[in-house]
Amino acid sequence: MDVTSALQRSANYTTKNARASRQIFESGIVVFRNNAQYKLGDDSWQFLDSLALAAIDVGRIDVAQDCFIRLSAEFPESPRVQCLEGILKEAREGPEAALNFYDQLLEADPTNTAVWKRLISVLRRLGRIERAVEELSKLADTFYTDVEVWLELADIYATHHQYTSALRSLSHVLLLTPQNPFYVLQAAETAYTAQDVPLAIRFFLMVVEMTGVDSDETRPPPPPTGITVRAWYGVELSAARLEANPALGSSSPSKTRVPEHLSQLRQLARDAINSAQVDRRDAETEASSAWLSR
C-alpha cells in the first residue's frame, strides 16, 4: 500500500471514528513509518491515538508505545493520554497493575471520567462486580447526564439477573434521552423480564408510536420494519401474558395500568407482524426473480 492510499484510508477511519483494528493498523503503520501523519493536519493526533489502540488490539505493543511517546510529549497532562498509558499497562503488565495505576490517577484527579470508566472496565474483567457497581454509582452521581454510565450500570445488573435494578438505571437513561426508541425498547424488554408486564407493554407501544410511519387515511399503513416489528412482538407477547394471567396486571411494581381491550391490541400486533412477514417474503421473491433474470 502506498502512502497516499494509506493516508486516505486513515483519514476515513479517523473521520468515522471506526474501530476496525486490523484495517486501521494496516493503513496506519504505512503512514506512521513514513512519518506522514502530519499531512492529516489537526487529525494527526487523533490518528496516533487510533493507531495506538489498533496496535494494542493486534498485538503490536511496540507500535502502540511509539505512538504513546509522541502523544505524551505533546499532551503530557491529557486525561486521554493517561488513559492510553493505562491501556498499555493492561496489555503489558496485566489488569492488576493497570488497576493500581488508575487508582493513583483518580486519587490525583477524581473528575477524570476516561480513567474512571477504564477502571470500571478492568474491575468487570476481574470479576469484582461489587466494586464495579460501587464505582459506577459514584460516577453516575457525579456525572448524572452521562448516559453511557447508566447504560453500563443497567448492563451489569441485567448480566447478573437483577432486572429491577437494571430497569431503575434505564429509567434515568429515558429521562436523559426520551426520544431514543432503542433505549425505550431496551427498557420494555427489561420490564418484561422483571415481570412488570403492564409497564413493558406501555414501553413497547411507545416504541411503535415513535418509529411508526405516518400515512394518510386513504391508504393503509406501510408494513412495519426494524425495531418496530420487534416492538409489535413485545406487544403481542405482553398482551398474551396479561390475558392468560390477569394477576400480573394488579401486581405491577410500577403501578402501571393495564391497557383496555387487550384482545384487540393483541390482534393489532398480530396483523402488524403478519404484514411485515408478507412484505419480507415479497421482497425476497422479487430479489430472487431479479437475480434469476440476469
Side-chain angles (χ1 to χ4, degrees):
M1 187 187 305
D2 59 60
V3 175
T4 302
S5 298
L7 275 167
Q8 290 175 344
R9 291 189 182 184
S10 295
N12 186 46
Y13 287 126
T14 301
T15 301
K16 293 182 178 179
N17 197 26
R19 187 70 182 269
S21 299
R22 176 61 62 182
Q23 295 90 330
I24 290 174
F25 181 80
E26 288 175 352
S27 59
I29 193 63
V30 175
V31 175
F32 188 71
R33 283 174 176 168
N34 288 277
N35 200 29
Q37 64 270 10
Y38 71 91
K39 294 183 179 179
L40 295 170
D42 292 339
D43 289 333
S44 61
W45 305 113
Q46 173 64 42
F47 162 80
L48 287 174
D49 184 65
S50 298
L51 178 59
L53 293 173
I56 293 172
D57 285 346
V58 301
R60 290 296 305 272
I61 306 302
D62 57 325
V63 175
Q65 180 66 29
D66 289 342
C67 293
F68 167 72
I69 290 172
R70 296 194 187 190
L71 286 167
S72 59
E74 183 70 21
F75 310 102
E77 302 298 325
S78 166
R80 188 162 183 167
V81 175
Q82 290 175 335
C83 193
L84 177 59
E85 184 178 0
I87 296 172
L88 273 167
K89 283 185 179 292
E90 292 178 42
R92 291 181 306 191
E93 304 173 36
E96 289 288 355
L99 200 61
N100 292 332
F101 175 71
Y102 292 142
D103 279 330
Q104 292 171 10
L105 289 177
L106 286 173
E107 187 174 346
D109 180 11
T111 64
N112 192 332
T113 57
V115 168
W116 209 343
K117 290 178 181 180
R118 198 66 208 176
L119 177 138
I120 292 164
S121 175
V122 174
L123 288 171
R124 289 195 70 174
R125 196 190 328 162
L126 291 172
R128 300 179 187 177
I129 303 304
E130 286 190 14
R131 190 186 167 193
V133 170
E134 179 185 343
E135 294 292 341
L136 271 171
S137 298
K138 290 192 293 185
L139 184 56
D141 286 341
T142 307
F143 302 98
Y144 176 79
T145 58
D146 193 328
V147 173
E148 187 180 80
V149 175
W150 290 109
L151 289 171
E152 181 77 7
L153 191 56
D155 182 67
I156 287 184
Y157 283 132
T159 302
H160 292 82
H161 312 294
Q162 298 180 30
Y163 299 108
T164 301
S165 296
L167 190 56
R168 280 200 298 269
S169 297
L170 289 173
S171 69
H172 294 282
V173 174
L174 298 186
L175 283 173
L176 294 168
T177 55
Q179 301 304 318
N180 190 317
F182 292 95
Y183 296 154
V184 180
L185 182 64
Q186 184 177 350
E189 293 176 344
T190 304
Y192 185 88
T193 310
Q195 306 298 317
D196 196 341
V197 184
L199 180 61
I201 197 171
R202 176 189 168 196
F203 281 146
F204 282 128
L205 288 169
M206 284 175 61
V207 176
V208 169
E209 184 178 356
M210 293 169 73
T211 59
V213 178
D214 294 331
S215 61
D216 57 62
E217 296 180 357
T218 62
R219 299 179 182 178
T225 58
I227 66 170
T228 313
V229 179
R230 190 177 178 115
W232 276 122
Y233 271 114
V235 172
E236 204 278 332
L237 287 171
S238 299
R241 282 189 69 182
L242 289 169
E243 282 188 316
N245 187 3
L248 287 172
S250 58
S251 60
S252 166
S254 61
K255 309 298 182 185
T256 304
R257 294 179 59 183
V258 177
E260 298 180 357
H261 313 298
L262 282 174
S263 58
Q264 291 93 326
L265 191 57
R266 188 179 180 189
Q267 185 59 52
L268 190 64
R270 285 174 175 171
D271 291 342
I273 294 167
N274 288 337
S275 68
Q277 291 173 338
V278 169
D279 185 65
R280 186 184 64 183
R281 285 196 295 268
D282 290 345
E284 290 173 351
T285 301
E286 183 177 345
S288 298
S289 299
W291 183 83
L292 289 171
S293 63
R294 289 178 181 177

